[in-house]
Each structure stands twice: as C-alpha cells, then as structure tokens.
Amino acid sequence: MRNATESFVRRVRSQLDALSATERQLADFVLEFPGELASYAGNELAELAGVSPSTVSRFIRRIGYENYEEARRQVREEKENGSPLFQTATEASRRGQLVATHFQRSQANLASTFDRLSDRQLGEIVKAIIGAGQVLIFGSRSSHAFAQYLRWQIIQVVPRVTAIPGAGETLAEHLAGIGERDCVIVFGTRRQTRQMDLLLAGASKAKAKILFISDQASPDFAGATWSLQCDCRGPGLLDNHVAVMAVCDLIATMVIEASGAAGRKRLAAIELGHEETGEL
C-alpha cells in the first residue's frame, strides 16, 4: 500500500522501472504535464498521451490509487497548493498577450489588497514596530526576500531589527529571547517551511505582538495581533507578489515617517557614516 502523504509525481517516479512500455509512455506524459490530470477525464488523458483508457486505469492502480478520480483529486489539491510543476500554460501566453495580462493582474491584486487595509490598523502596526524591544522578521522560500527587504528599510530608523534565522542560526536561538515587548513579523505566503509554525507557536507563547502577512490562498493565523492578506493570484505558473512588496513599502514608509526625532537622528548618523566611509 502506498503512503497517502506521497505526492503524485513521487508515486509515478517510484514505479517507472516496473511499468510496461505503454504505461511508461503515459508516465512520461504526466510527468511532463502533471497538472493536466486535474483538467481531463480518463479517456481524454488517454487520447492526449496516445494510449488506451485501459492503460490509464492499470497505471493509476499501479501507482497506488483506487481509481482515476482519487488521483485526479490529489493532483487538484497539489495544484491549488501552488506548485509551479502543476500549473498549466495560460490562455494569455498562448495568445501572445502575457505582458498586458500580467499588468492587469498586478493592478487587480494591488487594488483588492489595499482596499482591505486601513490607516487605523497600519497605525497600530507602525506604533508596535517603533516601540518594540526588538523586531524579528521571518519568511522562508520566496518570502525570505520580503523579510530581508522590510528589515533593510526599517532598520534605517529602528535599530533592533533582525531577519531570522540568519545563516548558520537556528530558530530556537531567537525564540529563547522573545518577550512581550517584541514584535514578530511573519510572511506566511503559501508553501512555507515548518519553521513558520514553530515561530508562530513560540511567539504566541511569549505573548509577543505578531503581524502575519499572507495571501488569500493560505490559512490565516488565529493568534496574530494583526493579519494582512494580500492577493497574489498570478496569470501564469507563479504567484504574483506585487501586492506583498507594496505592503512592505507602505509599512516601511510609515515607520520612517513616524519614527520622530530618534529615527531622524539614527538616519542622519547612517548617512554621515556613508559619507565618511565612502561605502556608497
């Protein structure tokens, strides 16, 4: 019996050496276009792959599914979870209108995301960041870039800002020092690592303030002090993160403007240091 947690692609790859010639032909097709399984009935997939419907049925059972619909359901779930491997070419791409379509999707994502924001909520977030004992920012995989960017911007006026974990560091080394006065910012866009859940649990236990920034395809975190959901639907193989970056820019701008005399003093010292060292 196959492991129920195995991905569809892993199931197929694990059986390649045991397949007949026609089953291998079907396997090669679904490995190249695994997302197609969610879109077609069994006889349609057979026609696309150039095999018989009975070959599809044998193949599905061989890789551990009771029937075609069970396999199709798993592929649909994995596709919804965001794996680029399971995304298909867009109609816009086939029509040669990809630039316009990406622009329109970016505009729509920005509009719907910012429509859910409020000055009051952002004001509370900014106040918490400025007044925190330390600000810890986390994001893994593609969200790692957002964590680094936000830290880079607000550290100009807020001195104790860290993107975690750093190279060679563990989360436990940071969790041990979190307290009630701290602010933890977590980017929870889909397909995060297990580290995110560990950090959220630790920050909640420490009663730190938590800002959770995610997309609408990802589950929210009920224990967050503030939750900001960004629209990240993309017209192609990848999520569109324009709205996430715009939210980062908004928060950073508001933090810099609200930092007051202490922030301006720190920013002035940094700029003076740039002049004296010639780093820039």
Side-chain angles (χ1 to χ4, degrees), residues 91-122:
E91 286 296 327
S93 179
R94 289 192 284 266
R95 295 195 307 266
Q97 298 175 339
L98 201 56
V99 172
T101 301
H102 269 264
F103 177 64
Q104 291 164 5
R105 172 48 56 192
S106 296
Q107 285 184 310
N109 285 350
L110 281 168
S112 57
T113 297
F114 273 66
D115 189 54
R116 292 190 295 272
L117 301 179
S118 72
D119 290 316
R120 180 193 59 78
Q121 183 185 47
L122 267 296

Side-chain angles (χ1 to χ4, degrees), residues 148-162:
Q148 292 287 350
Y149 173 80
L150 185 57
R151 174 193 179 272
W152 173 51
Q153 296 290 31
I154 66 178
I155 200 173
Q156 297 180 84
V157 294
V158 179
R160 295 170 297 279
V161 184
T162 308

Side-chain angles (χ1 to χ4, degrees), residues 233-277:
R233 289 171 293 175
L237 301 181
L238 302 175
D239 286 342
N240 180 311
H241 289 122
V242 169
V244 181
M245 184 57 75
V247 167
C248 288
D249 179 69
L250 175 61
I251 292 173
T253 299
M254 292 180 68
V255 167
I256 291 172
E257 291 179 351
S259 62
R264 289 192 296 274
K265 183 177 179 180
R266 175 174 169 79
L267 185 58
I270 291 172
E271 290 303 313
L272 178 61
H274 287 157
E275 292 181 15
E276 291 178 344
T277 61

